[in-house]
Amino acid sequence: NAGVTQTPKFRVLKTGQSMTLLCAQDMNHEYMYWYRQDPGMGLRLIHYSVGEGTTAKGEVPDGYNVSRLKKQNFLLGLESAAPSQTSVYFCASSYYRGNRMNTEAFFGQGTRLTVV
Amino acid sequence: KNQVEQSPQSLIILEGKNCTLQCNYTVSPFSNLRWYKQDTGRGPVSLTIMTFSENTKSNGRYTATLDADTKQSSLHITASQLSDSASYICVVSDVMSSGNTPLVFGKGTRLSVIA
């Protein structure tokens, strides 16, 4: 199993450009997440999904859109990139058993995005 | 609002010394708590999980404790090594309920182990 795979690993965008980050997991997990990590801020949740076809806003959703058309994929889109979106983006997935949420999130290797 | 607070923000220790990292949370209802290690440039990786009924759990030189009454957890690292230099993140889960973020992350403690 590859686990959680993010593409691309690095990207430089000009202000106003758009792009999509792809996250793929092969563990049949129900939950998927997109986080951004900035120095001194820790991981902040952008959007998450509890299953195919569903998405929800996290702590910092503005400027981002997501889609979960297939269970294994979670896409993060930036329609008009801004320098404030320069960050490292992490995708993660986790699973759910019974009535207890398992906290073990499996993370991708991250995407370093720079907006100039 | 569900929150996870970690202290200290950063810590520098000499190789071979012990250290303890703290995590306080307000997540309710509580499901479980997990400590992650994040090496520079990598995604976080799980170290240990604590459920409501557990007080202590060890993983090699890492020992996590949990006091569900006071909503506090600690991660103790024994005989530190240079490879322990990383960020340590506390993550708490509530029982999935409408409107709540499923996982609540602390901002992490940046540990530097020096020779």
Side-chain angles (χ1 to χ4, degrees), chain B residues 71-86:
Chain B
K71 297 186 177 181
Q72 295 180 327
S73 177
S74 65
L75 181 68
H76 185 76
I77 304 175
T78 304
S80 61
Q81 300 176 358
L82 297 178
S83 59
D84 292 331
S85 295

Side-chain angles (χ1 to χ4, degrees), chain B:
Chain B
K1 181 180 177 182
N2 289 335
Q3 288 187 314
V4 175
E5 301 287 341
Q6 291 188 242
S7 61
Q9 284 188 336
S10 62
L11 183 62
I12 302 174
I13 62 173
L14 291 175
E15 185 179 14
K17 298 296 186 182
N18 304 336
C19 67
T20 300
L21 314 180
Q22 299 290 343
C23 173
N24 297 340
Y25 62 93
T26 61
V27 177
S28 182
F30 170 82
S31 176
N32 54 66
L33 180 149
R34 196 178 286 264
W35 284 92
Y36 286 79
K37 178 185 180 186
Q38 184 179 21
D39 293 311
T40 301
R42 308 291 294 272
V45 175
S46 176
L47 283 175
T48 184
I49 181 173
M50 305 288 290
T51 59
F52 183 85
S53 59
E54 295 175 309
N55 299 119
T56 303
K57 183 170 284 188
S58 293
N59 177 6
R61 294 180 298 101
Y62 300 101
T63 299
T65 66
L66 174 66
D67 185 334
D69 292 330
T70 61
K71 297 186 177 181
Q72 295 180 327
S73 177
S74 65
L75 181 68
H76 185 76
I77 304 175
T78 304
S80 61
Q81 300 176 358
L82 297 178
S83 59
D84 292 331
S85 295
S87 288
Y88 292 84
I89 304 171
C90 176
V91 182
V92 182
S93 164
D94 64 352
V95 176
M96 191 64 184
S97 59
S98 176
N100 283 340
T101 303
L103 303 178
V104 186
F105 280 76
K107 289 183 168 50
T109 293
R110 178 68 201 176
L111 174 66
S112 298
V113 180
I114 59 176

